[in-house]
């Protein structure tokens, strides 16, 4: 009777073949069996030569447990990534280990008609120049190209020996020789909820391809990874839309006003914040400058910022020469339309011909005066943010700028991104303004760039903060 067949596990046929040998009978005890005269001759049976059935089953089970453990560890590492680029890097590293390749490439393309998804190429062991060479190969001849075409339905693309293939695109052959790979294995990235996301390809230095067992494992892993990537792609798409909306609510260009030059730098945080800036020509050759920040982040904060900025422009046209009145009206509007939200704001009424600035602030950081003979913060009155008190009011302050001096307005996000306490952040900002080279002081945009590079040496994109950053520089002739 043959041994029972255990059920299949993970798609692998687990049937154990019957043993090829017969077990020798157990000799009878003395005095109980037939006599030697009548006993039949004992037939010599060869000793077992193969492993026992239990050993085969244990080996098979050990292999399944090892595979499941490996997949669990790899998928757990992937699930800990909370941004798209680290997730793609983890996908390439794990896939490289599963298929035995040294290098890899992942390509994401938006599947929606609007193309609002991320369009990303990222390599493992490949530099930007290498990726550029691969992009010169015609799309249909790329190692992953057919997988990106809608409707192909290809489950994988295998080039086990590129240079032995007939009909290989000459440009593909040239790029493969230049980059030093001789084989490739590509899989589509498809999620049930998002559809086609892109493709991943791994490159071999020598002719090779993964065996059936490793294809099965990488297929399981990639299916899980695609679902995780789909969520991160949606997060990136939402952030991009929020950032675009915030940018559209800010001035598309700065006005030209005689006697003053303007420059600005602005970066929206990853969640879309509520910081704004504005520069508005006013009657009598005057200029209104404003910066501010709405509490919160996301679409609701962006929408509130847009409403406040538009309202402030209207109040500035009507009574801009009185900044206190402008902010009082803005505070009343905020309490009526956004009762659960507060905001900081600073409005400056500038008369370029006189180099005179009248400003009022509501919980906002003081502007910075930058000139040849002085670098100092303007002395503004301490006041609460808008929406914090039953009635906001604070006195205005007049500043007399000298020829060639620059007034730098900014939001608190610049200070928060430093990661320092506020007093140290203010000191860092002051030191950055004081160190501006003389050759840059004639250009307000260059002044803003120098301040950013000095205050945030790691850059806006790598600073560990979700704060918006706004700088508005006005240089008086």
């Amino acid at each position: 009777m043959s041994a029972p067949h255990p059920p299949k596990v993970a798609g692998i046929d687990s049937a154990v073949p019957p043993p090829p040998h017969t077990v020798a009978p157990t000799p009878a005890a003395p005095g109980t069996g037939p006599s030697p005269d009548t006993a039949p001759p004992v037939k010599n049976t060869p000793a077992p030569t193969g492993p026992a059935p239990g050993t085969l089953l244990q080996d098979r089970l050990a292999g399944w447990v090892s595979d499941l453990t490996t997949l669990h560890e790899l998928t757990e590492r992937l699930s800990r990534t909370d941004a798209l680029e680290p997730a793609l890097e983890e996908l390439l590293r794990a896939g490289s280990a599963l298929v035995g390749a040294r290098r890899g490439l992942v390509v994401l393309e938006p599947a929606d008609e609007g193309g609002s998804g991320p369009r990303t190429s990222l390599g493992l062991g490949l530099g930007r120049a290498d990726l550029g060479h691969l992009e010169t190969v015609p799309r249909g001849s790329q190692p992953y190209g057919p997988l990106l075409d809608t409707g192909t339905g290809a489950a994988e693309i295998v080039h086990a020996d590129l240079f032995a293939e007939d009909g290989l695109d000459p440009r593909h052959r040239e790029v493969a020789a230049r980059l030093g790979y001789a084989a490739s294995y590509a899989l589509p990235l498809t999620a049930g909820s998002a559809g086609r996301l892109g493709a991943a390809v791994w490159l071999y230095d020598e002719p090779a391809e993964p065996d059936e067992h490793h294809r099965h494992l990488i297929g399981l892993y990639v299916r899980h990874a695609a679902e995780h990537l789909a969520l991160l792609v949606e997060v990136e798409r939402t952030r991009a839309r929020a950032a675009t909306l915030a940018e559209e609510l800010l001035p598309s260009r700065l006005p030209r006003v005689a006697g003053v030059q303007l420059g600005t730098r602005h970066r929206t945080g990853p969640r879309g914040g509520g910081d704004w800036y504005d520069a508005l020509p006013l009657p009598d050759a005057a200029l209104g400058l404003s910066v501010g920040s709405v509490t919160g982040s996301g679409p609701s904060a962006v929408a509130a910022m847009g409403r406040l900025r538009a309202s402030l422009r209207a109040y500035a046209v009507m009574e801009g020469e009185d900044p206190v009145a402008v902010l009082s009206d803005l505070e009343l509007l905020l309490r009526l339309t956004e009762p659960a939200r507060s905001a900081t704001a600073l409005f400056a009424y500038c008369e370029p011909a006189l180099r005179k600035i009248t400003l009022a602030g509501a919980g906002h950081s003081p502007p910075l005066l930058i000139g040849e003979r002085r670098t100092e913060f303007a002395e503004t009155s301490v006041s609460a943010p808008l929406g914090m008190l039953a009635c906001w009011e604070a006195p205005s302050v007049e500043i007399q700028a000298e020829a060639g001096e620059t007034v730098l307005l900014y939001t608190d996000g610049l200070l928060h991104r430093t990661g320092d306490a506020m007093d140290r952040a203010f000191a860092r900002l002051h030191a950055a303004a004081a160190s501006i080279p003389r050759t840059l002081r004639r250009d307000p945009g260059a002044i803003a760039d120098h301040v950013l590079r000095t205050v945030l040496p790691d850059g806006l994109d790598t600073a560990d903060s979700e704060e918006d950053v706004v700088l508005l520089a006005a240089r008086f002739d």
Side-chain angles (χ1 to χ4, degrees):
M1 180 176 177
S2 61
H5 290 202
K8 293 184 178 181
V9 179
I12 302 175
D13 188 0
S14 58
V16 178
H21 61 276
T22 303
V23 180
T26 305
T32 59
S35 65
D37 298 334
T38 61
V42 177
K43 185 177 180 180
N44 292 329
T45 304
T49 59
T55 303
L56 291 174
L57 184 57
Q58 289 177 356
D59 291 344
R60 186 67 60 86
L61 289 174
W64 296 335
V65 170
S66 176
D67 291 342
L68 293 174
T69 301
T70 299
L71 289 176
H72 174 73
E73 292 176 352
L74 294 177
T75 53
E76 187 178 26
R77 285 206 314 235
L78 178 68
S79 64
R80 287 198 291 265
T81 58
D82 57 0
L84 186 58
E85 186 169 331
L88 295 177
E89 292 174 350
E90 181 59 36
L91 166 67
L92 288 176
R93 283 193 296 266
S96 178
L98 290 174
V99 302
R102 186 172 62 90
R103 292 177 290 176
L105 167 68
V106 63
V107 177
L108 295 185
E109 290 195 350
D112 57 326
E113 295 181 358
S116 59
R119 191 179 297 272
T120 304
S121 297
L122 189 142
L124 174 68
L126 298 171
R128 295 305 306 176
D130 299 332
L131 299 180
H133 288 307
L134 282 169
E135 291 174 356
T136 64
V137 178
R139 182 183 177 92
S141 301
Q142 291 174 343
Y144 54 85
L147 298 176
L148 300 180
D149 296 332
T150 305
T152 59
E156 62 180 16
I157 297 178
V158 182
H159 293 286
D161 190 349
L162 283 168
F163 300 105
E165 289 187 13
D166 295 330
L168 185 68
D169 184 89
R171 181 56 184 165
H172 188 182
R173 188 185 306 273
E174 178 183 349
V175 170
R178 184 185 187 96
L179 300 185
Y181 68 90
S184 65
Y185 180 69
L187 289 175
L189 297 174
T190 305
S193 57
R196 176 179 56 85
L197 299 175
V201 58
W202 289 271
L203 307 176
Y204 297 88
D205 297 340
E206 302 291 339
E209 64 177 299
D211 57 25
E212 191 65 29
H213 174 68
H214 289 92
R215 289 188 189 184
H216 178 68
L217 292 181
I218 189 65
L220 292 175
Y221 177 77
V222 167
R223 282 197 291 273
H224 170 82
E227 296 294 338
H228 183 66
L229 291 176
L231 297 176
L232 296 179
V233 166
E234 185 60 31
V235 171
E236 291 288 329
R237 182 181 290 119
T238 302
R239 289 177 176 175
R241 289 171 177 169
T244 300
L245 176 61
E247 294 292 339
E248 292 297 325
L249 291 174
L250 295 174
S252 57
R253 61 183 180 85
L254 296 174
R256 293 181 178 271
V257 178
V260 64
Q261 303 175 52
L262 299 175
T264 185
R265 297 295 182 267
H266 171 253
R267 181 63 57 89
T268 301
R271 294 186 178 179
D275 286 16
W276 83 83
Y277 69 91
D278 206 350
L280 178 66
L282 297 175
D284 301 325
L287 174 68
L289 301 176
S290 69
V291 293
S293 177
V294 175
T295 56
S297 61
S300 62
V302 173
M305 177 268 288
R307 288 190 291 269
L308 286 184
R309 173 180 169 267
S311 301
L312 191 148
R313 290 173 68 90
Y315 300 146
V317 170
M318 293 185 295
E319 48 193 1
E321 67 279 359
D322 186 358
V324 173
V326 171
L327 293 186
S328 296
D329 292 341
L330 192 66
E331 195 271 341
L332 177 60
L333 175 73
L334 182 67
R335 284 197 291 115
L336 293 176
T337 61
E338 304 279 348
R341 198 182 296 274
S342 63
T344 65
L346 188 147
F347 178 73
Y349 179 79
C350 305
E351 301 173 77
L354 303 176
R355 293 194 292 274
K356 179 182 176 182
I357 306 162
T358 306
L359 61 89
H364 206 82
S365 299
L368 187 59
L369 295 173
I370 306 170
E372 294 290 341
R373 294 184 293 181
R374 62 174 176 174
T375 300
E376 60 186 27
F377 291 101
E379 294 185 4
T380 57
S381 58
V382 178
S383 61
L386 302 176
M388 296 292 290
L389 302 177
C391 182
W392 176 90
E393 187 171 352
S396 61
V397 176
E398 288 190 1
I399 300 174
Q400 186 65 48
E402 298 181 5
E405 286 191 331
T406 297
V407 178
L408 182 66
L409 311 181
Y410 53 93
T411 58
D412 290 343
L414 175 65
L415 305 175
H416 293 159
R417 282 199 179 224
T418 64
D420 295 335
M422 290 302 289
D423 57 342
R424 295 185 61 185
F426 275 115
R428 180 184 292 192
L429 175 58
H430 184 277
S435 66
I436 297 174
R438 181 172 299 180
T439 56
L440 301 180
R441 292 179 179 263
R442 293 181 175 274
D443 183 357
I447 290 175
D449 287 334
H450 177 84
V451 169
L452 280 177
R453 286 194 302 267
T454 308
V455 175
L456 304 175
D458 295 332
L460 284 170
D461 295 326
T462 57
D464 186 17
S465 176
E466 296 184 347
E467 298 280 347
D468 291 5
V469 173
V470 167
L471 284 87
L472 177 58
R475 181 183 183 276
F476 291 87
D477 298 334

